[in-house]
């Protein structure tokens, strides 16, 4: 069983001695350009703090780029870092990147304390956060739950969480906030966490007017004007730097995707109004149709047959399904064919004894299975909406999207 990813205190002097012959990872040109753009936006000691978005396509190294720049320019200044992400596996990715890059942190910084916080049992609890932490990596929801609370102690005094104490202590040190998958920031809870909307529940910017705020994303745009407006209200310098996918493909940084459309033979009749939405307005399928497609055994058998017939060509594969029961069905059929496969999906609230309850996944289950896939123990990973963003599995050769979609996130 792997060691829980929750806290690490690193002796940097000792690490530097052990790594005397270590050669740092050489950044790509787009990452060097991103470093320069970040340094122009975030000028420490100036009256106005920086606040903007770094846009790098999936696979272009968003986490590495941000961590390397923070290690060079923020950590040596003893400015605290709060790294926020929407899901537990993105926390693990950031934690691991900070740990691996610690040897590159310049002197005189002598120690680095990193804490990974979420509701996942393998992570630290929010109550464990200490003032001595240099980097706190946590889920957005956990941060929302712990910034403001109505709880009181035994004496009837308002209870202050460890996270709130950490934030308050950053008035002395300064705070640099990173939001991974920043296109989610306009969501009500997240934007209130970051910038707040009322005096009674100030967001981080209201509590610490000098904080710096960096968003990371591959998909910075919205058709929804209201969401786009909130995005730029949160990240006031807007896009700091954007690397173009086509340019990175030409440089050999990213592989050129090969799109193959396979007809399943399943046809559904729709009325004129829905047809107009799907064809002319390019909107996504309604949930009722997605439910039908996910439940269709003949269609799911076709998906299984397509993979098995071409498994040598497809290699390591991720299959995006739409419902938990579709994951279970496809997995069982692939296992029958001798394929090393497993599935991850979000927790299901279900009645005890029901099929949903018997088949539900916990975050710990999902984390273990994802690690097995990354480490080569599985050839196929099936998931429902859990790997559309931020998952770093460089050895993947093929992705199945089991229905047509207009989602730029799914296709990127």
């Amino acid at each position: 069983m792997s060691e829980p990813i929750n806290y690490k205190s690193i002796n940097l002097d000792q690490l530097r001695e052990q790594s005397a012959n270590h050669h740092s990872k050489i950044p790509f040109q787009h990452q060097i350009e991103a470093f320069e753009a970040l340094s122009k936006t975030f000028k420490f000691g100036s009256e106005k703090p920086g606040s903007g978005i770094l846009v790098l396509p999936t696979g272009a190294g968003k986490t590495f780029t941000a961590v390397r720049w923070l290690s060079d320019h923020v950590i040596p200044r003893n400015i605290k870092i709060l790294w926020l992400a929407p899901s537990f596996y993105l926390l693990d990715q950031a934690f691991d990147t900070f740990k691996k890059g610690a040897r590159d942190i310049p002197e005189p910084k002598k120690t680095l304390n990193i804490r990974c916080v979420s509701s996942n049992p393998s992570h630290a609890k929010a109550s464990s956060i200490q003032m001595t932490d240099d980097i706190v990596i946590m889920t957005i929801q956990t941060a929302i739950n712990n910034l403001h609370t109505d709880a009181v102690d035994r004496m009837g005094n308002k209870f202050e969480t460890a996270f709130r104490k950490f934030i308050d202590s950053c008035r002395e040190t300064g705070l640099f906030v990173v939001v991974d998958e920043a296109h989610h920031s306009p969501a009500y809870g997240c934007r209130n966490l970051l910038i707040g909307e009322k005096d009674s529940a100030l967001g981080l910017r209201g509590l610490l007017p000098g904080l710096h705020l960096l968003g990371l994303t591959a998909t910075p745009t919205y058709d929804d004007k209201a969401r786009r407006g909130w995005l730029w209200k949160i990240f006031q310098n807007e896009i700091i730097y954007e690397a173009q996918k086509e340019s990175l493909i030409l440089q050999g940084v990213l592989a050129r995707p090969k799109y193959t459309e396979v007809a399943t033979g399943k046809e559904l009749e729709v009325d004129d109004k829905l047809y107009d939405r799907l064809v002319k307005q390019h909107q996504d399928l309604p949930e009722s149709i997605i439910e039908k497609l996910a439940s269709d055994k003949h269609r799911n058998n076709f998906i299984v047959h397509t993979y098995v017939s071409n498994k040598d060509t497809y290699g390591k594969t991720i299959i995006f399904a739409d419902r938990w029961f579709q994951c279970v069905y496809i997995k069982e059929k692939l296992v029958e064919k001798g394929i090393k496969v497993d599935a991850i999906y979000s927790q299901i609230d279900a009645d005890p004894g029901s099929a949903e309850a018997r088949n539900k996944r916990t975050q710990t289950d999902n984390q273990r299975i994802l690690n097995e896939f990354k480490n080569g123990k599985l050839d196929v990973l099936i998931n429902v909406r859990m790997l559309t963003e931020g998952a770093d599995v460089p050895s993947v050769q093929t992705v199945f999207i089991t229905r047509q979609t207009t989602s730029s996130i799914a296709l990127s």
Side-chain angles (χ1 to χ4, degrees):
M1 186 173 179
S2 59
E3 181 184 353
I5 299 174
N6 49 38
Y7 179 76
K8 186 75 174 178
S9 184
I10 302 172
N11 183 323
L12 295 177
D13 283 338
Q14 188 178 59
L15 187 61
R16 291 178 189 118
E17 289 177 11
Q18 294 171 350
S19 310
N21 299 319
H22 165 73
H23 296 288
S24 300
K25 181 179 176 179
I26 299 173
F28 291 107
Q29 181 59 35
H30 73 277
Q31 293 171 329
I32 294 171
E33 291 170 2
F35 297 154
E36 294 172 354
L38 288 166
S39 294
K40 287 179 182 177
T41 300
F42 299 103
K43 295 181 179 178
F44 304 100
S46 63
E47 291 184 7
K48 188 174 182 181
S51 174
I53 292 180
L54 176 64
V55 181
L56 296 181
T58 301
K62 291 189 298 293
T63 303
F64 167 80
T65 303
V67 168
R68 172 64 70 86
W69 185 84
L70 291 167
S71 297
D72 286 342
H73 299 279
V74 176
I75 295 173
R77 288 182 166 86
N78 291 313
I79 296 170
K80 304 282 186 174
I81 295 171
L82 172 63
W83 185 290
L84 300 169
S87 56
F88 72 85
Y89 53 87
L90 292 175
L91 303 190
D92 295 345
Q93 190 170 299
F95 187 94
D96 189 55
T97 307
F98 272 112
K99 197 169 62 171
K100 287 179 179 177
R103 68 191 69 193
D104 295 317
I105 296 171
E107 297 185 74
K109 185 72 174 174
K110 294 187 176 298
T111 59
L112 185 71
N113 300 321
I114 315 171
R115 192 177 303 272
C116 193
V117 177
S118 80
S119 59
N120 190 303
S122 69
H123 294 154
K125 294 181 178 179
S127 59
S128 71
I129 295 173
Q130 301 292 321
M131 303 307 104
T132 51
D133 292 344
D134 296 298
I135 303 168
V136 174
I137 303 170
M138 67 194 306
T139 55
I140 292 169
Q141 191 57 52
T142 303
I144 291 170
N145 293 343
N146 283 272
L147 184 62
H148 300 293
T149 177
D150 294 326
V152 294
D153 61 22
R154 293 177 184 175
M155 304 299 292
N157 299 315
K158 191 171 181 180
F159 178 76
E160 193 172 52
T161 65
F163 177 57
R164 178 59 184 269
K165 290 177 182 177
F166 173 80
I167 294 300
D168 289 343
S169 74
C170 291
R171 292 193 183 101
E172 301 295 325
T173 62
L175 180 65
F176 197 107
V177 179
V178 179
V179 185
D180 201 357
E181 304 302 336
H183 53 278
H184 291 304
S185 299
Y188 181 78
C190 187
R191 75 176 187 243
N192 273 346
L193 168 70
L194 298 174
I195 63 174
E197 288 187 335
K198 51 189 177 182
D199 294 339
S200 60
L202 290 173
L204 294 173
R205 182 177 287 162
L207 295 169
L208 299 170
L211 73 77
H212 296 276
L213 184 56
L214 171 64
L216 308 177
T217 186
T219 52
T221 57
Y222 280 109
D223 293 330
D224 185 333
K225 289 183 180 179
R227 280 180 168 263
R228 191 164 63 242
W230 275 114
L231 197 65
W232 302 142
K233 190 171 182 180
I234 297 165
F235 300 101
Q236 296 166 331
N237 294 108
E238 299 192 3
I239 295 176
I240 297 169
Y241 176 81
E242 181 171 8
Q244 299 299 322
K245 183 185 290 187
E246 184 61 30
S247 174
L248 299 185
I249 290 172
L250 292 173
Q251 294 173 44
V253 176
L254 299 178
R256 185 175 295 281
K258 180 182 178 182
Y259 297 102
T260 304
E261 186 171 347
V262 180
T264 63
K266 180 70 177 181
E267 294 184 2
L268 292 174
E269 290 188 6
V270 298
D271 58 34
D272 291 343
K273 186 176 179 181
L274 179 55
Y275 181 84
D276 182 74
R277 278 179 54 201
L278 298 177
V279 176
K280 296 181 181 179
Q281 299 179 38
H282 303 289
Q283 294 188 22
D284 226 336
L285 293 174
E287 290 297 313
S288 59
I289 290 183
I290 292 173
E291 188 85 14
K292 282 184 180 180
L293 293 175
S295 305
D296 192 300
K297 288 187 177 181
H298 294 294
R299 192 172 180 278
N300 289 329
N301 287 338
F302 180 85
I303 293 167
V304 170
H305 175 75
T306 300
Y307 172 79
V308 173
S309 300
N310 301 277
K311 64 180 181 179
D312 293 337
T313 301
Y314 291 150
K316 199 177 184 83
T317 297
I318 294 175
I319 297 177
F320 287 92
D322 289 296
R323 295 292 186 267
W324 72 267
F325 52 80
Q326 187 183 21
C327 277
V328 172
Y329 183 86
I330 293 174
K331 173 190 167 181
E332 289 175 350
K333 292 300 179 182
L334 287 173
V335 168
E336 289 174 7
K337 301 293 184 181
I339 305 299
K340 292 185 290 183
V341 56
D342 213 326
I344 62 175
Y345 38 88
S346 60
Q347 186 168 337
I348 302 165
D349 295 322
D351 296 330
S354 67
E356 289 90 342
R358 288 194 301 273
N359 287 283
K360 78 176 183 179
R361 284 279 192 268
T362 65
Q363 287 187 338
T364 303
D365 292 331
N366 288 332
Q367 187 173 32
R368 171 184 55 78
I369 292 165
L370 180 57
N371 288 337
E372 288 177 356
F373 183 63
K374 286 183 176 182
N375 296 333
K377 294 180 180 179
L378 301 172
D379 294 323
V380 178
L381 182 64
I382 313 166
N383 81 104
V384 178
R385 298 175 186 169
M386 293 198 70
L387 298 178
T388 53
E389 302 163 346
D392 184 12
V393 191
S395 56
V396 168
Q397 291 177 246
T398 305
V399 173
F400 277 37
I401 299 176
T402 58
R403 64 174 170 88
Q404 290 186 328
T405 179
T406 60
S407 168
S408 60
I409 295 172
L411 293 173
S412 65

